[in-house]
Amino acid sequence: MSGPPKRVFVARLVSAPVFDPLGDQVGRVRDAVIVYRATMRQSPRVIGLVVEVPGRRRVFVPMGRVTAIDSGQVITTGLVNMRRFEQRGSETLVMNDLLDRRLRLRADDSPVLVEDVGIEQQVNKDWEVTRLFVRRVPERTAFAAFRRRGETKQIDWTDADHPADSDIDQEATQLIAAYQDTKPADLADVLFEMNSARRLQVARALDDERLADVIEELPADTQIEILAGLETERAVTVLEEMEPDDAADLLGELSDDQAERFLALMEPDDAEDVRTLLAYDDDTAGGLMTTEPVILTPETTVAEALAHVRREDLPAALAAAVFVCRQPVETPTGKYLGLVHIQEMLRHPPHEAVGIMLDTEVEPLPPEAPLGEVSKLLAAYNLVSVPITDENDRLVGVVTVDDVLDELLPEDWRTTGRDEIRRG
């Protein structure tokens, strides 16, 4: 006698690895696809999973090819159609369209928010949405701010009224929570696949720093769309949170009047960095550089230097080396002396000064140096960053390898990985 059907909650399944029968990982779960029945009172059918495979391509895996979902992993038959997933009009995505949806309980007409969606395999092997994990929405009163968050509970799909329009009363809290531990590039992929209205809902709900990181990973037209959909004050704050070179790239896509309006509202120091970068051509060292590398004086100890590169908010490419200059240490600095690689620092005692271990073989480039010259220097010395100095030997910025790749790759490289169809 078989036991009860096993229940799986989709939000907890997101990012779970997907394996073929031989145990090789083929991708990770990103969403589940459901279709409604003739009446909303019937449990929707789960027709498949959206799986991200190498190359950041999202493909559709029918539930008929899922042989097991257990212990945070999915096992498939191994037969995966590599065509990019495109949502059809009759299909609903659980993470995108159902999470944070506001529904009403049939029992007392009270409002609830969907925080997770439970699916179960039935006797006939079909998967259905059977349960919802919901949170009651407190009534809006003068004392609402002092009340605890609403009660949570599991309910049957049939215990709530379900509006057919996926844009009705939807927030973004739970979707963001489901992706809180993912890299900004992965969340950017999620936003890119959304329709414009839902994308803006999620963007508005992200905190400033997270939104800035995600925007940096999106194509230019999507960046502009999100920026235009934010209130001006919020848009300015997000621009200030972005890396100066990324903010300059984004503002460079706007009209001169629009860019100047944002720059005038930014903090003077942030605006000055961005204006400096906007003054250079895109395909030069000056147009590619960031003005915020790790800059230290020669007296700084190894221990202090390592503390700087351990900062959580520091991009990996900028953490690979520190740049040593005379005072001042803000760009443009005092005289540039050389760089110190993190591997070199790890070979020395913590109390030693970085000034005694300088790499002076890497000649800095001028801001006017063309992209090809920057690329050759990176390749010749196996570097991840190149110092840029002015005519007075002052460090004005650093070009990192990721910024060079951004310029060398096709303009639509961020979307070709998603749109490409693998040929058999």
Side-chain angles (χ1 to χ4, degrees), residues 117-232:
V117 175
I119 62 176
E120 297 179 24
Q121 189 173 30
Q122 306 303 303
V123 176
N124 63 359
K125 303 301 182 182
D126 283 349
W127 285 80
E128 294 182 353
V129 175
T130 57
R131 302 284 284 177
L132 299 173
F133 183 73
V134 299
R135 182 179 298 278
R136 286 188 182 272
V137 180
E139 294 182 14
R140 296 184 180 277
T141 69
F143 302 100
F146 301 99
R147 295 187 177 184
R148 293 190 304 173
R149 295 183 66 195
E151 165 200 2
T152 58
K153 60 189 299 187
Q154 280 192 41
I155 63 171
D156 287 333
W157 173 266
T158 55
D159 289 340
D161 282 319
H162 300 272
D165 185 351
S166 64
D167 291 330
I168 291 177
D169 289 331
Q170 193 172 9
E171 299 180 7
T173 308
Q174 295 308 311
L175 186 143
I176 291 170
Y179 288 97
Q180 64 181 348
D181 296 325
T182 62
K183 294 182 181 297
D186 292 331
L187 184 53
D189 279 346
V190 174
L191 262 68
F192 182 81
E193 297 291 344
M194 295 175 175
N195 61 53
S196 296
R198 181 60 171 151
R199 181 160 49 236
L200 192 53
Q201 282 177 327
V202 176
R204 286 171 173 162
L206 289 167
D207 65 57
D208 296 334
E209 184 177 352
R210 180 72 160 163
L211 179 56
D213 291 341
V214 170
I215 286 179
E216 291 173 358
E217 302 295 334
L218 288 167
D221 55 348
T222 309
Q223 292 180 327
I224 294 169
E225 174 193 288
I226 291 176
L227 197 70
L230 301 175
E231 294 182 359
T232 301

Side-chain angles (χ1 to χ4, degrees), residues 11-31:
R12 300 176 194 174
L13 194 63
V14 167
S15 297
V18 179
F19 296 97
D20 65 17
L22 298 178
D24 294 324
Q25 185 172 338
V26 297
R28 289 189 177 276
V29 176
R30 291 305 183 200
D31 215 325

Side-chain angles (χ1 to χ4, degrees), residues 211-367:
L211 179 56
D213 291 341
V214 170
I215 286 179
E216 291 173 358
E217 302 295 334
L218 288 167
D221 55 348
T222 309
Q223 292 180 327
I224 294 169
E225 174 193 288
I226 291 176
L227 197 70
L230 301 175
E231 294 182 359
T232 301
E233 184 177 348
R234 175 91 196 280
V236 169
T237 301
V238 171
L239 285 168
E240 291 171 343
E241 289 287 346
M242 293 174 68
E243 292 295 319
D245 53 328
D246 290 307
D249 289 342
L250 174 50
L251 291 180
E253 297 289 333
L254 305 179
S255 69
D256 291 344
D257 288 344
Q258 288 175 312
E260 185 54 43
R261 182 166 64 91
F262 283 120
L263 286 166
L265 294 171
M266 292 173 66
E267 290 292 329
D269 288 346
D270 294 321
E272 182 180 356
D273 287 341
V274 175
R275 288 183 194 276
T276 298
L277 297 172
L278 285 170
Y280 299 105
D281 291 336
D282 291 343
D283 58 352
T284 64
L288 294 171
M289 70 184 180
T290 178
T291 55
E292 296 182 349
V294 179
I295 305 172
L296 304 173
T297 61
E299 299 80 20
T300 305
T301 65
V302 167
E304 292 170 323
L306 290 175
H308 280 281
V309 299
R310 285 194 195 103
R311 289 194 343 246
E312 188 176 349
D313 62 335
L314 189 67
L318 290 179
V322 300
F323 298 84
V324 182
C325 305
R326 297 293 182 192
Q327 294 279 6
V329 291
E330 292 83 21
T331 55
T333 66
K335 182 178 174 59
Y336 171 70
L337 302 176
L339 62 88
V340 181
H341 305 282
I342 187 171
Q343 298 99 323
E344 185 64 28
M345 287 190 282
L346 293 173
R347 299 187 187 110
H348 289 260
H351 64 272
E352 286 194 1
V354 295
I356 68 170
M357 55 193 80
L358 296 176
D359 182 347
T360 56
E361 292 185 7
V362 179
E363 289 288 336
L365 295 175

Side-chain angles (χ1 to χ4, degrees), residues 32-36 87-88 90-94 97-98 166:
V33 186
I34 67 174
V35 292
Y36 291 120
Q87 185 179 2
R88 299 174 181 173
S90 61
E91 297 171 346
T92 297
L93 294 174
V94 170
D97 302 328
L98 281 187
S166 64

